[in-house]
Amino acid sequence: MAMTSKTIAEINETVQRLSVTPERIAELPVELGQFADVIARVRHRLAFDQDPADLLRELHRVGAQDAAKER
Amino acid sequence: MTAALPFRTLTETATAIAAGEVTAREVTASCLDRIAAIDPRVGAFVTVEPERALRAAEAADRARVEGYPIGPLHGVPLAHKDMFYRAGEISGCGSKIRTDWRAPETATVLERLDAAGAVTLGRLAMVEFAMGPHGYNEHLVQCRNPWDREFIPCGSSSGSGVAVGSRMVFGALGSDTGGSIRGPAAAAGVVGLAPTNGRVSRHGVMPMSFSLDVVGPLARTVRDVARLMSVIAGADPHDASAADQPVPEYEALLGDPLSGRRIGVPERYFRDGLDPAVARILDESLAVFRTLGTAVVPVAMPDWIYEVSDLHPLVMKAEGAANHFPWMHERRGDYSHEVGNRLEAGFFIMATDYIHAVKLRGTFLKELMDTVFAGVDVLHTPVMTKVLPTIAETRTNSGPAYLDMVVSLTRNTKVVNYLGLPALSVPCGFDPRGLPVAFQLIGKPFGEAGLLALGQHYEREAGYWQRAPDL
């Protein structure tokens, strides 16, 4: 579900309190909509036990494995 | 003779200084002369420090004569993107906010370069807070492409690419969050390496997006980049994210034979919308690799690579907004219109969306290793699918047209940062207007040595590194 400029303006007024121009608030739904859409598209790939540290774990696993092959 | 000195490569220069064929002072003075002559036309430097550089060069010469150990960069002039901190000195980060800010500590990478004997000539231009791929910055003098000054230098390590490409320094450090080393290297016709996430310490380096940022070198040749990597790579007690993986002898491994290596050419995503002029040059580079004995094979890319293209900016903007939260409230007027705008989106991303985006990184990387990289050693892709735009063509700084410009410059590079992989940008020809074109080799985690070996073999065969812009 994409955010509307009205929602963005309300969040800004009550939470973030940035000095964002009305013109920029009118533009933001396009970009935020892309983010919301991509999360919706990948949601089926998410799992409870996934961890942000999985990236580093995999990087190091492959790195160590290949280094061992070189030796 | 001295006017020719800046046209040597970094490693040739280091060898000549170590052998006493030329002094560090002569080399440094010749680079300073070239900066004085050239930089007003290309805007690569924020600050040049001639007296300090000459003092350092003279000290290097004395050390050599007196028999002290000679480091691998002894007396070699370098300069770096203005976001590598040195204790007590200004690091402007391309911003108005940090114009007079003095760093409390020195970046580990600078300490390592100092220990290797490098001479620092000054601080280099960058996009404000490293947020932008075109390479200009309204707080600074216009940074320009050395091959044609009407064209963009790419960013955010704009000064690093231009200073090396213009033969004002022998090498430079940059940072890369979505292509900020590889883009400027490609635009300037030099080599740039975005290492594996964690291969090089980020301690004392301005953060843009902490989980995507990497630090790496730009230089004229692959061998030069290998030399710089051998100095800066490795674990760092000051940076818990710096990996404790062994650092190979990159330069010694450059000559490794290529037979048996497999280069994968992605069948989609990376070549989508490829400009015909870029396609022709890329195909010629693949032909060179075939003659070198490598197998060049098509590879199918997973569907999710298209999603990564949108997940990357989500992560980058959420992390960037968090970093800039205080200044965006207290000093909004000191940001450029463009960078302030770019940061604003990050304040409205939901925390769960951000966490979902980072949770998937390991899953996608593992799948890529198990499928695509099960059959190839590296991927060969264009750094950019389009020919370089002019400065005027990229002047839109908000709205859908702006987003399209950013996407066209970064779509092939940013997915690499999301996955944490290393990638080497190598010049491979010139478009019909005379602007450089480059491919990137994307490797497996901590596979920098293999990328450099492939790049070095290609470079020696193709010879584009020998061409310098006419400035």
Side-chain angles (χ1 to χ4, degrees), chain B residues 107-127:
Chain B
T108 296
V109 285
L110 292 190
E111 287 179 342
R112 289 178 179 175
L113 292 171
D114 291 346
V119 172
T120 304
L121 299 191
R123 296 182 283 125
L124 295 173
M126 59 183 283
V127 176

Side-chain angles (χ1 to χ4, degrees), chain B residues 21-52:
Chain B
E21 292 165 12
V22 64
T23 65
R25 193 189 196 290
E26 288 170 324
V27 174
T28 301
S30 68
C31 287
L32 291 168
D33 287 347
R34 186 157 174 84
I35 292 166
I38 300 294
D39 196 52
R41 283 182 265 158
V42 293
F45 277 83
V46 175
T47 306
V48 185
E49 299 176 289
E51 295 83 11
R52 176 184 172 151

